[in-house]
Amino acid sequence: MASRGYEAARSMEAGNLKGGGGGLGKEVHHGHGRTAHNMSSSSLRKKSDLSLVSKVRCSPLRALLANLQEIFFGTKLFVLFPAVPLAIFANYYHFGRAWLFALSLLGLTPLAERVSFLTEQIAFYTGPTVGGLLNATCGNATELIIALFALRQGKIEVVKCSLVGSVLSNLLLVLGSSLFLGGLANLHKEQLYDRKQADVNTGLLLLGALCHILLLMFRYTVNTGEQAVDAAPTLALSRACSMIMLLAYVAYLFFQLKTHRQLFESREEEGDDDDDVVSEDEPVIGFVGALIWLVGMTVVIALLSEYVVGTIEAASDSWGISVSFISIILLPIVGNAAEHAGAIIFAFKNKLDITLGVSLGSATQISMFVVPLSVIVAWIMGIKMDLDLKLLETSSLIMAILVIAFTLQDGTSHYLKGLVPLLCYLAIGACFFFVFNSPTGACNSFYPLFLLYNLASLH
C-alpha cells in the first residue's frame, strides 16, 4: 500500500514539476541513449520519498518542495552538502585557510554529481545529441572551472598538475581499483567488455600524449645545454597542437553522438533488483527548472573552486605537502570521488563497459578537451601557458596510457589486471611525493613515508 502511494505521489509530482518547472512546450524524448557517465552517476542516486510533500495543498509550494527534495536528497552524497555553506561561512568569518580548502573540496563532490544529474534531466527534453554535448562539456566541469580560476590567478603549474593528475587518476586509480575490486567480487564469473570503445579512447589518449612529447622533445632539441628555450616558438607549437587536439575531440564527439552512437550507449541489464538505485525513464524536473539549477550549481562550483585555488598554498604549508603533490594527487581524487564511486559500483555488478566508459571517457575528455582548451583560454587572457608538462609528468602520463592499453587488449578482465594499474598509481604517487616534498616537509605530515625514505637512502 505504501509502495503504491509512493509511486502515485512520484507520478503526480513529476507531472507537476514538468509543468510548473517550465517544461511546457518541450517534448520529452523517451528512450534516449544513456552514456556511461549518466549510468555511473545514477548509481549514487536514491529514490526520494515524496509522501510528505504530496500532503501540501498549495500546488506551487508542493512542486517547489518536491524539486528541492529531488535536488538535495536525491543523492547518496547528500551528507556532504553541509560542507558548501560551511565553506562559505569559513571564508566570511576568516577561519583557517586549510579548513577552507578542505571544506571546499568536500563541497565540490556532491555538486559534481548533481551537475551530471541535471544534464541528464535536460537530455530528456533536448534529445541524446544535445544531451551528449552537454555531458561532453559539463562532465568534467569541476576540473575545467578550477583550471580557469587557477589561470586567472597565474598559477599555471597548478593547472598542469591538476589536469595531469586527473588523467592519471582516471586511468590508473579509478580503472585499476574498479577492475581489481570487480574481479574479486566476480571471482568465479567471466568478465567481458567491448574493446571497441576502449580502442577509440586509448587512441585519442595516445594522440594527446604525442603532443606533450613533441613539446618535451622540442624543448630539448632547441636547448643547447645552458641556454633557455625561447618561449615564442614553444608557445606557438603548444597552441597549434592544442587546436589539433580540439579538432580531434570534435571528431570524437561526432563519432560518439552521430556515426557510432551504439558503441557508447550504456543500457542497464534486466534483472537488477537493487531498489536503492534509481533508473529513470522520465524526467523528474522540468526543463527550465533543470536549466536554472544547472546554472546555479555551476556558480556555486565556481565559488568553491575559487576558494580551493586561493587557499591551496595555505593548505600546503599547514599539511607539510607541496602544492604540486596536492594538485596531482589530492585534487583529482576528491574532485572526482562521485564518478569514481559509480565506476566501482558497476564493476562490482560485472558491468565493465560502463566502468570503462566512465574512466576512459573522463580521461579522454580531460586530455583532449580541457587541457587544450586551457591553453587556448590562457592565450586569449594573455597568459603564457604551454603543453610542456616536464619530463616526470610526461613520462608518467605515457606509461599510464601504455599500461592501460596493454591491460585492455583482449576484452577480458580479472582482479590481477586491476591490481597492476593500481600499484602503478601508488608508485607514481610516491614518486611525486618524494620529488615535490623535501624530507623536512615530508616528516611533518607523513612520518612513515619519511622513515622509509631515510631507510632507503641508507643503502
Side-chain angles (χ1 to χ4, degrees), residues 10 101 119 153 183 195 201 234 256 316 355 358 393 418 449:
R10 175 111 184 184
F101 177 83
T119 54
Q153 298 185 21
R195 281 187 51 196
N201 284 288
T234 303
Q256 179 183 10
S316 172
T355 297
V358 171
E393 290 86 344
L449 287 178

PDB file of all heavy atoms in Angstrom, residues 10 101 119 153 183 195 201 234 256 316 355 358 393 418 449:
ATOM      1  N   ARG A  10       4.907  10.058  -6.628  1.00  0.00           N
ATOM      2  CA  ARG A  10       6.028  10.345  -7.516  1.00  0.00           C
ATOM      3  C   ARG A  10       5.534  10.753  -8.904  1.00  0.00           C
ATOM      4  O   ARG A  10       6.023  11.700  -9.502  1.00  0.00           O
ATOM      5  CB  ARG A  10       6.923   9.103  -7.630  1.00  0.00           C
ATOM      6  CG  ARG A  10       8.047   9.230  -8.620  1.00  0.00           C
ATOM      7  CD  ARG A  10       9.348   9.272  -7.919  1.00  0.00           C
ATOM      8  NE  ARG A  10      10.431   9.486  -8.853  1.00  0.00           N
ATOM      9  CZ  ARG A  10      11.684   9.487  -8.511  1.00  0.00           C
ATOM     10  NH1 ARG A  10      12.030   9.304  -7.270  1.00  0.00           N
ATOM     11  NH2 ARG A  10      12.629   9.700  -9.394  1.00  0.00           N
ATOM     12  N   PHE A 101      40.052  25.238   2.484  1.00  0.00           N
ATOM     13  CA  PHE A 101      40.440  24.379   1.361  1.00  0.00           C
ATOM     14  C   PHE A 101      39.760  23.008   1.470  1.00  0.00           C
ATOM     15  O   PHE A 101      39.172  22.514   0.497  1.00  0.00           O
ATOM     16  CB  PHE A 101      41.961  24.222   1.342  1.00  0.00           C
ATOM     17  CG  PHE A 101      42.477  23.313   0.268  1.00  0.00           C
ATOM     18  CD1 PHE A 101      42.665  23.783  -1.019  1.00  0.00           C
ATOM     19  CD2 PHE A 101      42.779  21.988   0.539  1.00  0.00           C
ATOM     20  CE1 PHE A 101      43.149  22.959  -2.022  1.00  0.00           C
ATOM     21  CE2 PHE A 101      43.256  21.146  -0.450  1.00  0.00           C
ATOM     22  CZ  PHE A 101      43.440  21.643  -1.733  1.00  0.00           C
ATOM     23  N   THR A 119      22.250  17.522 -16.153  1.00  0.00           N
ATOM     24  CA  THR A 119      22.446  17.389 -17.598  1.00  0.00           C
ATOM     25  C   THR A 119      21.634  16.225 -18.153  1.00  0.00           C
ATOM     26  O   THR A 119      21.118  16.294 -19.281  1.00  0.00           O
ATOM     27  CB  THR A 119      23.930  17.180 -17.932  1.00  0.00           C
ATOM     28  OG1 THR A 119      24.445  16.066 -17.190  1.00  0.00           O
ATOM     29  CG2 THR A 119      24.751  18.412 -17.589  1.00  0.00           C
ATOM     30  N   GLN A 153      44.568  33.463 -11.767  1.00  0.00           N
ATOM     31  CA  GLN A 153      45.498  33.865 -10.729  1.00  0.00           C
ATOM     32  C   GLN A 153      46.952  33.601 -11.113  1.00  0.00           C
ATOM     33  O   GLN A 153      47.853  33.759 -10.285  1.00  0.00           O
ATOM     34  CB  GLN A 153      45.158  33.151  -9.416  1.00  0.00           C
ATOM     35  CG  GLN A 153      43.777  33.498  -8.877  1.00  0.00           C
ATOM     36  CD  GLN A 153      43.504  32.874  -7.530  1.00  0.00           C
ATOM     37  OE1 GLN A 153      44.427  32.498  -6.801  1.00  0.00           O
ATOM     38  NE2 GLN A 153      42.227  32.752  -7.165  1.00  0.00           N
ATOM     39  N   GLY A 183      36.931  -7.735  -9.990  1.00  0.00           N
ATOM     40  CA  GLY A 183      37.442  -9.089 -10.188  1.00  0.00           C
ATOM     41  C   GLY A 183      37.308  -9.944  -8.942  1.00  0.00           C
ATOM     42  O   GLY A 183      36.986 -11.140  -9.023  1.00  0.00           O
ATOM     43  N   ARG A 195      35.771  -4.134 -26.573  1.00  0.00           N
ATOM     44  CA  ARG A 195      37.054  -3.454 -26.778  1.00  0.00           C
ATOM     45  C   ARG A 195      36.934  -2.219 -27.668  1.00  0.00           C
ATOM     46  O   ARG A 195      37.831  -1.372 -27.659  1.00  0.00           O
ATOM     47  CB  ARG A 195      38.059  -4.413 -27.426  1.00  0.00           C
ATOM     48  CG  ARG A 195      38.707  -5.414 -26.483  1.00  0.00           C
ATOM     49  CD  ARG A 195      39.780  -6.175 -27.224  1.00  0.00           C
ATOM     50  NE  ARG A 195      40.694  -5.275 -27.918  1.00  0.00           N
ATOM     51  CZ  ARG A 195      41.525  -5.659 -28.885  1.00  0.00           C
ATOM     52  NH1 ARG A 195      41.527  -6.910 -29.295  1.00  0.00           N
ATOM     53  NH2 ARG A 195      42.339  -4.806 -29.446  1.00  0.00           N
ATOM     54  N   ASN A 201      39.192   5.354 -27.247  1.00  0.00           N
ATOM     55  CA  ASN A 201      39.683   6.252 -26.205  1.00  0.00           C
ATOM     56  C   ASN A 201      41.195   6.185 -26.043  1.00  0.00           C
ATOM     57  O   ASN A 201      41.854   7.220 -25.884  1.00  0.00           O
ATOM     58  CB  ASN A 201      38.996   5.933 -24.874  1.00  0.00           C
ATOM     59  CG  ASN A 201      37.577   6.445 -24.816  1.00  0.00           C
ATOM     60  OD1 ASN A 201      37.321   7.627 -24.713  1.00  0.00           O
ATOM     61  ND2 ASN A 201      36.621   5.532 -24.876  1.00  0.00           N
ATOM     62  N   THR A 234      57.867  27.810 -28.528  1.00  0.00           N
ATOM     63  CA  THR A 234      57.240  26.808 -27.670  1.00  0.00           C
ATOM     64  C   THR A 234      55.752  27.082 -27.513  1.00  0.00           C
ATOM     65  O   THR A 234      54.916  26.172 -27.609  1.00  0.00           O
ATOM     66  CB  THR A 234      57.919  26.797 -26.285  1.00  0.00           C
ATOM     67  OG1 THR A 234      59.314  26.548 -26.434  1.00  0.00           O
ATOM     68  CG2 THR A 234      57.302  25.725 -25.399  1.00  0.00           C
ATOM     69  N   GLN A 256      30.998   9.782 -31.581  1.00  0.00           N
ATOM     70  CA  GLN A 256      30.269   9.266 -30.427  1.00  0.00           C
ATOM     71  C   GLN A 256      28.775   9.544 -30.504  1.00  0.00           C
ATOM     72  O   GLN A 256      27.956   8.696 -30.130  1.00  0.00           O
ATOM     73  CB  GLN A 256      30.841   9.883 -29.142  1.00  0.00           C
ATOM     74  CG  GLN A 256      30.137   9.447 -27.870  1.00  0.00           C
ATOM     75  CD  GLN A 256      30.702  10.137 -26.650  1.00  0.00           C
ATOM     76  OE1 GLN A 256      31.492  11.072 -26.765  1.00  0.00           O
ATOM     77  NE2 GLN A 256      30.291   9.693 -25.477  1.00  0.00           N
ATOM     78  N   SER A 316      48.994  23.682   1.727  1.00  0.00           N
ATOM     79  CA  SER A 316      50.309  23.071   1.540  1.00  0.00           C
ATOM     80  C   SER A 316      51.227  23.341   2.738  1.00  0.00           C
ATOM     81  O   SER A 316      51.889  22.434   3.244  1.00  0.00           O
ATOM     82  CB  SER A 316      50.949  23.601   0.252  1.00  0.00           C
ATOM     83  OG  SER A 316      52.286  23.177   0.129  1.00  0.00           O
ATOM     84  N   THR A 355      31.976   0.885 -16.574  1.00  0.00           N
ATOM     85  CA  THR A 355      33.177   1.288 -15.845  1.00  0.00           C
ATOM     86  C   THR A 355      34.238   1.851 -16.792  1.00  0.00           C
ATOM     87  O   THR A 355      34.843   2.892 -16.517  1.00  0.00           O
ATOM     88  CB  THR A 355      33.748   0.082 -15.073  1.00  0.00           C
ATOM     89  OG1 THR A 355      32.789  -0.354 -14.103  1.00  0.00           O
ATOM     90  CG2 THR A 355      35.043   0.449 -14.368  1.00  0.00           C
ATOM     91  N   VAL A 358      33.252   5.285 -18.110  1.00  0.00           N
ATOM     92  CA  VAL A 358      33.447   6.369 -17.147  1.00  0.00           C
ATOM     93  C   VAL A 358      34.913   6.765 -17.060  1.00  0.00           C
ATOM     94  O   VAL A 358      35.280   7.942 -17.224  1.00  0.00           O
ATOM     95  CB  VAL A 358      32.922   5.951 -15.763  1.00  0.00           C
ATOM     96  CG1 VAL A 358      33.314   6.977 -14.708  1.00  0.00           C
ATOM     97  CG2 VAL A 358      31.410   5.794 -15.791  1.00  0.00           C
ATOM     98  N   GLU A 393      56.212  14.311 -15.401  1.00  0.00           N
ATOM     99  CA  GLU A 393      54.776  14.249 -15.654  1.00  0.00           C
ATOM    100  C   GLU A 393      54.474  13.619 -17.014  1.00  0.00           C
ATOM    101  O   GLU A 393      53.573  12.787 -17.139  1.00  0.00           O
ATOM    102  CB  GLU A 393      54.165  15.649 -15.584  1.00  0.00           C
ATOM    103  CG  GLU A 393      54.120  16.241 -14.190  1.00  0.00           C
ATOM    104  CD  GLU A 393      55.424  16.943 -13.829  1.00  0.00           C
ATOM    105  OE1 GLU A 393      56.429  16.702 -14.522  1.00  0.00           O
ATOM    106  OE2 GLU A 393      55.432  17.725 -12.859  1.00  0.00           O
ATOM    107  N   GLY A 418      43.496  -5.418 -12.634  1.00  0.00           N
ATOM    108  CA  GLY A 418      43.222  -4.186 -11.915  1.00  0.00           C
ATOM    109  C   GLY A 418      44.290  -3.851 -10.907  1.00  0.00           C
ATOM    110  O   GLY A 418      44.561  -2.672 -10.634  1.00  0.00           O
ATOM    111  N   LEU A 449      56.237   7.522   5.697  1.00  0.00           N
ATOM    112  CA  LEU A 449      56.893   7.629   4.397  1.00  0.00           C
ATOM    113  C   LEU A 449      58.274   8.234   4.535  1.00  0.00           C
ATOM    114  O   LEU A 449      59.219   7.835   3.852  1.00  0.00           O
ATOM    115  CB  LEU A 449      56.035   8.480   3.456  1.00  0.00           C
ATOM    116  CG  LEU A 449      54.755   7.829   2.918  1.00  0.00           C
ATOM    117  CD1 LEU A 449      54.005   8.825   2.047  1.00  0.00           C
ATOM    118  CD2 LEU A 449      55.080   6.581   2.127  1.00  0.00           C
TER     119      LEU A 449
END
